[in-house]
Amino acid sequence: MTDTPISPIEAVNAVINSHNPFINAGIVKEQDVWGKGVPDVPTLNAHASNQVFKAIEFVRKSQSSQDKVTSIAITAQQGVGKTHLLSRIRHELEKVGGALFVYASANNYTDLNLVKYQFQQTLADSLSKTGSQKVMQWQEVAAAMANEGRENATTPAELVKRFDNAYKKNKNLMNTLQRQVIKNKSDADPYIIRAILWTLSETQSPFAIKWLSGEELAQLNADELGLPNPSKTNQDRESEALKNIQQVLNLVSFYNSIVICFDEIDVKNNSTEDGFPTESVIANFVKILHDTLENSDLSQGVVILTVMLPETWRDKVNSLQGGTPDRISKFTQRKPIDLKPVSADYMVQLATVWLREYYSSKNLIPPHPLYPFEESHLREYGKNKPTVREALRWCADNFKVEEEQLPGDPFERFELAFTRENEAKIEEYIEDSSLIAEALYFGFNTLKGQTLEGVMIEELTNDIKPKAHNKNFINFKVIGNENGKEVKIGVAVIQDSQSTLNAGLRRLNDYHTFDLTRGCLVRSKSKIKQMQKKSATYRLFDELILQRGGENVDVIEDQIRPLVAILAIYQKRQNYKLTEEQILDFISKNKITFDNLLLREILSDPSGNMPDVDDGNFGGLFDDEDDNIPDVDDDGGLGDLYG
């Protein structure tokens, strides 16, 4: 028990009525796997995650080359917590290390005739996410390559920090590094080695990763990197993808164990030209990976996880010919690991961990850890053995307290509700990109058919296609007409980390793929100022603002606050005894959204001006002195590179 005094019940009830953390909590998205994640009960289905960690340890320590690639099949019904489990594994690896993590959702595989090429893109994208050493997973591998054979290794973060300045002063640096690695990796593709090493460069890493994903570069960028850049059709890329995947995985697994997760392989979204469904195509691809990866006894090993419904394993995968089931469930000897539903005890634990994080974020101490729930009610529902999704939905439906009825007519009730919701502390949501995006989307929806900043708003959509490429980074699109021309403004709210910002900017800059005429990044000016001029992020930002005519809109407290307030009123309209029509009428009459400067700024013509950012000057790559790297060095700069 804590001696910290319990918060006033009025304050606790006020936050309960202002924000329900359980809404949509049971739907775990790909960004939850890579981002902060969701509150987790580590003992729930621990038998499954423990087996995965045992498999990682097994492939790493095994002296037999035949055991360096293994696999596990995981089965569970919808909502039981399959992606929750993968999120747990990813975040544990990010925290303590032990393996790199690759996440492939079959939802993103929109053309099964190109499954190998699409996995090559998945592989490149996953390895661009932050790893246990606080840099991209690609950069962890590149640093291990650069440090190989050296007694005093330089940390990946230091190499990344110093690389661009070192290369600027010694243009032979990359060739020297490449020769150093090839000397010990004669069978590896020299261009793939070179591209991975280039990920150490903050300015060149986006182009190196794009090349590693199989995409074509602008010839200028390819020339700068020293990489081949032939024009290819998608069919060409598909035919070459497996060789590239094998090269990357064989090379990367020499330095780090790798966990590859194929999630939701039974999604009903596609089939090949020959009629093979998603589960058959992915299962066959896993078999190919298992059989063709180089089983070197020096490798750190590869663990492949395949997640599916029990009936998919029973009726589809387990009956496939050619030893496919054995390759998909090798570590557990063709016995899938089945996830269990929530019990009465786990129901209490699940609510406890979610509420602990919720009240902590609000700096409140509730009357008891489960407030406003009663333990007996949680246990009673848990006896039904619900899925995780059903358990969290029950919490969402019951997360409420009785509040006083607002007096007066609908107009007076709205005014009182608006005043109440406006009192929410900005710190509670200023970092919440999803909530800000939802508030902006709701605000624009109230303005359809109206003209602001010369733009007639005709339509809004948050169904951004192709979904496989967007991955929810572009939140929504405003479609309208400006001076007789169609405008399509893609809006991405990104208040979180640098790696998320880079991924979002790459998509905002891709007008062709996402059918945009303008990209708009919504991000606080204070965060933009932290950007370093020589970074890859700055180059992507420069491309958006100066080359593509996009813009960055600041998140200003007085402008976002009323939008969050009216969204909250709309979501809690039953509590406030207001109808949808009454709310929209009040918003319109008071011009809450029509006069909102944040919405107007998104629609207005971009200024075309770049904001002030950090200069980002660095010293040499392997030393701290700025002037210690000569222009020419007999050993290609490695003496100064490694200090």
Side-chain angles (χ1 to χ4, degrees):
M1 294 295 290
T2 178
D3 293 331
T4 307
I6 292 173
S7 302
I9 192 65
E10 295 80 9
V12 176
N13 287 347
V15 300
I16 289 174
N17 286 320
S18 67
H19 177 221
N20 187 333
F22 295 101
I23 291 178
N24 296 326
I27 303 172
V28 181
K29 305 180 291 296
E30 181 172 346
Q31 284 175 303
D32 295 314
V33 173
W34 292 116
K36 179 185 174 185
V38 293
D40 183 36
V41 179
T43 53
L44 179 60
N45 286 312
H47 67 289
S49 49
N50 288 344
Q51 280 288 79
V52 174
F53 294 124
K54 284 180 184 176
I56 296 169
E57 190 77 2
F58 175 76
V59 297
R60 182 167 57 242
K61 290 185 174 180
S62 176
Q63 300 298 308
S64 168
S65 61
Q66 297 302 311
D67 291 331
K68 287 297 181 179
V69 180
T70 196
S71 58
I72 295 174
I74 298 172
T75 59
Q77 293 296 344
Q78 293 284 1
V80 167
K82 298 185 291 293
T83 310
H84 271 95
L85 180 79
L86 299 182
S87 177
R88 174 193 301 165
I89 294 166
R90 147 68 182 169
H91 286 94
E92 183 67 15
L93 292 175
E94 182 184 21
K95 184 169 66 176
V96 303
L100 304 182
F101 188 85
V102 175
Y103 178 77
S105 171
N107 267 314
N108 295 334
Y109 285 36
T110 53
D111 187 347
L112 293 178
N113 299 296
L114 301 174
V115 69
K116 299 180 187 70
Y117 171 47
Q118 288 177 121
F119 180 74
Q120 182 180 350
Q121 292 179 306
T122 294
L123 181 62
D125 183 61
S126 289
L127 293 178
S128 70
K129 301 297 194 296
T130 303
S132 63
Q133 300 185 57
K134 310 307 177 190
V135 296
M136 287 191 294
Q137 296 185 111
W138 278 122
Q139 292 168 337
E140 290 186 21
V141 177
M145 292 165 65
N147 280 317
E148 191 170 11
R150 308 200 67 83
E151 289 185 13
N152 299 313
T154 305
T155 66
E158 281 300 311
L159 288 177
V160 172
K161 181 180 179 182
R162 298 172 182 175
F163 190 93
D164 282 335
N165 201 55
Y167 179 74
K168 181 180 179 183
K169 294 189 175 186
N170 192 325
K171 296 295 185 182
N172 201 36
L173 175 62
M174 177 53 69
N175 291 335
T176 308
L177 276 175
Q178 185 183 17
R179 283 196 300 270
Q180 172 186 289
V181 178
I182 289 175
K183 204 164 43 176
N184 301 315
K185 302 284 181 297
S186 57
D187 293 337
D189 186 314
Y191 291 119
I192 287 178
I193 288 174
R194 188 179 185 89
I196 293 174
L197 288 170
W198 269 122
T199 64
L200 290 171
S201 165
E202 289 199 279
T203 57
Q204 299 292 1
S205 57
F207 306 107
I209 292 168
K210 186 174 182 180
W211 187 89
L212 286 163
S213 75
E215 294 187 48
E216 191 174 343
L217 300 178
Q219 194 56 48
L220 174 65
N221 298 127
D223 292 342
E224 285 181 359
L225 297 178
L227 296 172
N229 193 43
S231 294
K232 298 175 184 176
T233 65
N234 279 345
Q235 285 69 32
D236 294 332
R237 293 188 175 98
E238 174 69 6
S239 64
E240 296 175 7
L242 183 60
K243 173 176 64 69
N244 295 330
I245 292 164
Q246 291 165 343
Q247 281 279 336
V248 168
L249 290 177
N250 288 334
L251 187 59
V252 170
S253 66
F254 182 83
Y255 300 98
N256 302 79
S257 301
I258 309 171
V259 177
I260 301 172
C261 306
F262 289 96
D263 195 8
E264 302 178 302
I265 73 161
D266 24 34
V267 62
K268 307 296 182 187
N269 66 345
N270 217 329
S271 63
T272 63
E273 291 175 351
D274 298 327
F276 291 108
T278 305
E279 60 267 22
S280 298
V281 175
I282 300 296
N284 182 61
F285 182 59
V286 171
K287 177 180 181 291
I288 291 171
L289 280 181
H290 176 279
D291 291 348
T292 58
L293 289 178
E294 181 182 297
N295 296 324
S296 166
D297 56 2
L298 297 176
S299 167
Q300 300 299 301
V302 178
V303 178
I304 305 173
L305 310 180
T306 313
V307 182
M308 65 195 84
L309 298 170
E311 54 266 33
T312 300
W313 170 265
R314 185 187 65 238
D315 302 335
K316 305 284 182 64
V317 176
N318 198 33
S319 60
L320 292 173
Q321 302 300 309
T324 300
D326 300 284
R327 268 66 162 203
I328 289 178
S329 189
K330 179 179 179 180
F331 189 68
T332 52
Q333 300 175 329
R334 201 166 172 168
K335 295 176 182 176
I337 299 174
D338 193 41
L339 302 189
K340 308 301 180 188
V342 174
S343 66
D345 285 342
Y346 282 130
M347 184 73 190
V348 174
Q349 292 179 44
L350 190 66
T352 300
V353 296
W354 276 83
L355 290 169
R356 183 190 303 134
E357 182 168 310
Y358 176 71
Y359 287 126
S360 175
S361 71
K362 307 294 185 185
N363 295 313
L364 292 171
I365 306 294
H368 59 83
L370 291 171
Y371 187 81
F373 305 133
E374 294 293 338
E375 182 173 342
S376 60
H377 296 161
L378 290 164
R379 288 189 173 280
E380 187 63 31
Y381 185 74
K383 290 178 182 178
N384 300 322
K385 298 191 179 303
T387 65
V388 172
R389 186 174 301 165
E390 289 167 343
L392 291 171
R393 188 180 301 129
W394 183 93
C395 290
D397 292 341
N398 292 276
F399 188 74
K400 54 192 173 185
V401 291
E402 292 299 324
E403 59 179 335
E404 80 274 17
Q405 296 296 316
L406 295 181
D409 59 27
F411 184 86
E412 292 172 317
R413 288 201 298 277
F414 188 99
E415 283 193 318
L416 287 168
F418 190 68
T419 300
R420 174 181 292 179
E421 298 296 345
N422 251 320
E423 291 172 352
K425 294 179 181 178
I426 191 74
E427 305 84 48
E428 294 179 359
Y429 57 80
I430 196 65
E431 300 294 322
D432 191 336
S433 301
S434 297
L435 178 59
I436 293 172
E438 193 175 0
L440 293 173
Y441 185 72
F442 178 75
F444 276 120
N445 261 301
T446 69
L447 296 169
K448 282 200 291 190
Q450 300 186 57
T451 301
L452 279 81
E453 302 297 319
V455 177
M456 167 69 160
I457 301 172
E458 297 175 341
E459 186 183 348
L460 279 103
T461 180
N462 55 10
D463 185 21
I464 307 299
K465 295 177 180 176
K467 291 182 179 180
H469 292 298
N470 184 44
K471 298 181 180 177
N472 297 316
F473 282 100
I474 299 175
N475 299 110
F476 62 89
K477 191 188 300 187
V478 182
I479 301 170
N481 190 291
E482 184 176 26
N483 298 323
K485 294 182 179 179
E486 187 176 42
V487 293
K488 298 177 181 179
I489 305 172
V491 180
V493 182
I494 305 174
Q495 289 287 79
D496 18 26
S497 68
Q498 200 78 351
S499 61
T500 303
L501 176 59
N502 287 359
L505 283 170
R506 284 198 295 271
R507 287 157 176 84
L508 280 177
N509 285 331
D510 195 347
Y511 286 14
H512 174 73
T513 297
F514 298 108
D515 190 22
L516 306 176
T517 60
R518 188 193 309 167
C520 177
L521 170 68
V522 179
R523 185 173 176 87
S524 297
K525 186 178 291 183
S526 60
K527 295 178 182 292
I528 292 292
K529 284 184 176 180
Q530 296 170 10
M531 198 184 299
Q532 293 175 333
K533 268 191 178 177
K534 296 183 180 180
S535 67
T537 308
Y538 186 83
R539 290 183 67 162
L540 291 167
F541 190 64
D542 177 280
E543 180 182 347
L544 176 68
I545 304 300
L546 298 183
Q547 299 176 40
R548 299 196 176 276
E551 64 181 328
N552 167 231
V553 173
D554 189 13
V555 182
I556 297 173
E557 178 179 344
D558 290 344
Q559 296 174 10
I560 189 60
R561 183 186 292 279
L563 300 180
V564 172
I566 59 174
L567 173 65
I569 294 170
Y570 180 78
Q571 291 174 334
K572 293 184 280 186
R573 57 190 179 276
Q574 290 183 335
N575 291 350
Y576 287 126
K577 299 294 188 288
L578 292 167
T579 66
E580 180 176 346
E581 292 74 18
Q582 289 167 343
I583 292 170
L584 296 177
D585 185 54
F586 186 88
I587 291 170
S588 175
K589 286 179 178 176
N590 288 271
K591 297 188 175 182
I592 294 174
T593 52
F594 188 85
D595 288 340
N596 185 270
L597 296 179
L598 180 52
L599 299 179
R600 285 183 170 272
E601 185 63 23
I602 291 171
L603 295 176
S604 67
D605 287 334
S607 67
N609 297 325
M610 289 287 285
D612 294 330
V613 299
D614 191 328
D615 282 341
N617 291 318
F618 299 125
L621 182 55
F622 288 87
D623 58 64
D624 296 324
E625 296 299 324
D626 212 15
D627 300 323
N628 280 357
I629 298 181
D631 291 329
V632 180
D633 194 302
D634 291 340
D635 65 359
L638 290 185
D640 293 297
L641 183 64
Y642 295 103

